[in-house]
Amino acid sequence: MLIVMHHQASSRDIEKVKKTIIAMGLRPVAIPGAERTAIGVVGNQGWVDDMPLRDIHGIKEIIHVTKPYKLVSRDFHFPNTIVRIDKNTNVGERRPFLIIAGPCAIESREQAMKTALFLKKLGIPVMRGGAFKPRTSPHSFQGLREEGLDILSEVRERTGISTVTEVMSPEHISIAAEKVDMLQIGARNMQNFDLLKEAGRTKKPVILKRGLSATIEEWLASAEYILLEGNPNVILCERGIRTFETLTRNTADLSVIPLVKSISHLPVIFDPSHATGKRTLVPVMSLASIVAGAHGIMIEIHPDPDHALSDGPQSLHFNEFAKLRKHMKDMEIFVKKL
Ligand code: PEP
Ligand code: MN
């Protein structure tokens, strides 16, 4: 429910609305605006009887929100959210396009450090690298787990680069939060609700990937779980969805980016690696995502993709990434002029 106040409503009227909401066993969320104040109501699990509010002075309109998400929507919070990753790095509207790159999985100290030093040379602020890997087959490489987290922590210490890694279960969150700067919730876990809630109890930035067959509303409802627990630092990541197509790993739908930006205030980034599954398609789709309005990108790169333990075919060689980095800079300048 959303309560829109008249612009002449007094602070006493607003306080009365808030107190009434609390007395109804619900939680008021103030939504200040330049023109008017609105008060969002969260905590209800279904229809709310608005009778106790109807006669309060200063209320212009009571809107019943039927969507499965509120806090992530622009109805409840209009301004663009900017997520701070480290003291020099932010992501969101009118912030520099965020580039995150790195291997699918952390395979060794040497592989991770080589990648981090390369990224540092290019000025890339965040390195990705999976320690806990969600693999389709239990016979595939499952990640170095805690050892992988230690390597990521060493990467940060030695290079100053920020890091992001995937968490697959609620127990991973506290151990990963100590060792990395951002958490990633992968496509397969987009609706792991206990995991989402636990991620909501940290203040770490969380990259929430769209599920393999999730609708946009299901994806936003998952983000809502994180915000509702008190963590506003969510970055949505489109990584392609499962369709009937078999020539690409997933179907990359870039129209999702402007659409989600119109509904939600959260930053939206794109993962061209999982979206296509093919190294040859990654550069052009990366550039296209800048045109579509993405706030950033997460790309898989590897010092030796042919021998990568996971996702080699979609990982760029270092030289390919360096070339793409240059083209992305040009594209950013071009798009700003549009
Ligand atoms: C990954 O980023 O390595 C990954 C497993 O991604 P997704 O969850 O999008 O499949
Ligand atoms: Mn991968």
Side-chain angles (χ1 to χ4, degrees), residues 1-5 16-31 36-56 59-77 224 228:
M1 193 157 62
L2 194 62
I3 296 150
V4 183
M5 306 299 292
K16 185 150 187 213
V17 170
K18 287 187 186 165
K19 279 196 181 133
T20 309
I21 293 168
I22 292 166
M24 290 161 76
L26 303 169
R27 180 151 69 87
V29 181
I31 308 166
R36 41 140 233 205
T37 291
I39 300 159
V41 180
V42 293
N44 55 301
Q45 295 180 341
W47 180 261
V48 180
D49 181 3
D50 59 21
M51 189 64 109
L53 293 157
R54 276 188 212 161
D55 294 329
I56 298 178
I59 292 182
K60 180 168 182 267
E61 197 182 357
I62 297 177
I63 302 167
H64 288 270
V65 180
T66 50
K67 296 192 184 96
Y69 50 85
K70 300 174 186 178
L71 300 178
V72 304
S73 84
R74 287 201 189 267
D75 297 335
F76 268 57
H77 179 91
E224 181 87 2
L228 199 53

Side-chain angles (χ1 to χ4, degrees), residues 104 128 133-134 166 184 186-188 209 239 271 274 300:
C104 179
R128 59 153 289 148
K133 290 305 302 174
E166 179 165 353
Q184 174 179 323
R188 289 155 194 81
K209 290 198 158 191
R239 46 78 74 206
D271 172 348
H274 295 87
E300 287 185 341

